[in-house]
Amino acid sequence: MPNWCCGTLKVRGAKENVINFLTKGLIAVDYIGNDVKESKFYIDEYEDINYIPSKSLSCFWIEGTRRGFVYPKEYYFNYYNKEKNEVIVCLDTKFAWTIHVEQLLEISKKYDIDLKIYAFEGGMEFNLDIEVSKGKVIKSEVIEFDNYAWECTNPMIGG
């Protein structure tokens, strides 16, 4: 079983691009990785982004990642700026062991979206600060600690 690198993945871009990522780049899976066809993200009648839950849904696999997952029960923020046609969605995520910035870069290019995450890995005692924008790596930092429990802002996340 892996240590989990956990954090909130922020997704930003034109509304249609973010929707495209949420509906095509997140694959609903059960606890052993089988597709759950009845669960998916969608736009409701108020133009809000939601998802269809299912009893068998465990999480959404982030297509293009080795083992990156979105946990929709913790999906909690959706910001839309009509003047800029910009949407920001925050997703609760877990990645096995680490987050590969190259994988986020490919997702950014494929869907024309920006991705940003600050993630915690309490087992190996490091944090990651990653930002990819317009298909370019803006930031990719590994933060290490002498005393993780004391220095880390939230040592109870991840691991």
Side-chain angles (χ1 to χ4, degrees):
M1 184 164 146
N3 284 347
W4 292 104
C5 196
C6 304
T8 301
L9 179 66
K10 296 178 187 178
V11 181
R12 178 179 68 185
K15 188 173 186 177
E16 56 275 5
N17 295 348
V18 172
I19 292 166
N20 192 33
F21 167 69
L22 293 173
T23 57
K24 295 183 178 139
L26 299 180
I27 312 301
V29 294
D30 65 15
Y31 73 98
I32 56 173
N34 297 318
D35 284 0
V36 177
K37 301 282 186 214
E38 65 271 14
S39 290
K40 63 182 177 183
F41 278 90
Y42 70 98
I43 304 303
D44 68 17
E45 67 272 16
Y46 305 106
E47 295 193 26
D48 289 330
I49 300 168
N50 284 299
Y51 75 96
I52 299 170
S54 163
K55 286 183 181 179
S56 57
L57 176 67
S58 174
C59 58
F60 289 88
W61 170 58
I62 305 169
E63 186 178 43
T65 64
R66 185 168 175 267
R67 288 180 67 193
F69 302 96
V70 168
Y71 290 81
K73 291 178 185 167
E74 304 302 321
Y75 162 74
Y76 59 90
F77 184 74
N78 178 3
Y79 169 77
Y80 180 49
N81 182 331
K82 280 190 178 188
E83 289 148 19
K84 288 185 171 182
N85 188 37
E86 179 181 84
V87 173
I88 299 172
V89 175
C90 294
L91 304 167
D92 183 42
T93 58
K94 291 183 182 181
F95 293 80
W97 303 111
T98 192
I99 301 169
H100 299 280
V101 70
E102 313 83 35
Q103 295 169 351
L104 295 184
L105 182 62
E106 290 306 311
I107 292 167
S108 173
K109 290 176 183 177
K110 180 176 182 178
Y111 293 100
D112 192 21
I113 56 175
D114 301 334
L115 301 166
K116 184 175 186 171
I117 188 167
Y118 190 93
F120 301 84
E121 211 291 33
M124 298 297 291
E125 298 187 344
F126 68 89
N127 294 350
L128 295 172
D129 191 3
I130 298 171
E131 182 175 0
V132 178
S133 181
K134 313 242 183 295
K136 294 183 180 168
V137 177
I138 305 301
K139 186 189 294 187
S140 179
E141 296 178 15
V142 177
I143 299 98
E144 296 177 329
F145 303 88
D146 291 327
N147 185 332
Y148 191 80
W150 181 252
E151 296 171 17
C152 178
T153 59
N154 201 337
M156 303 302 292
I157 299 176

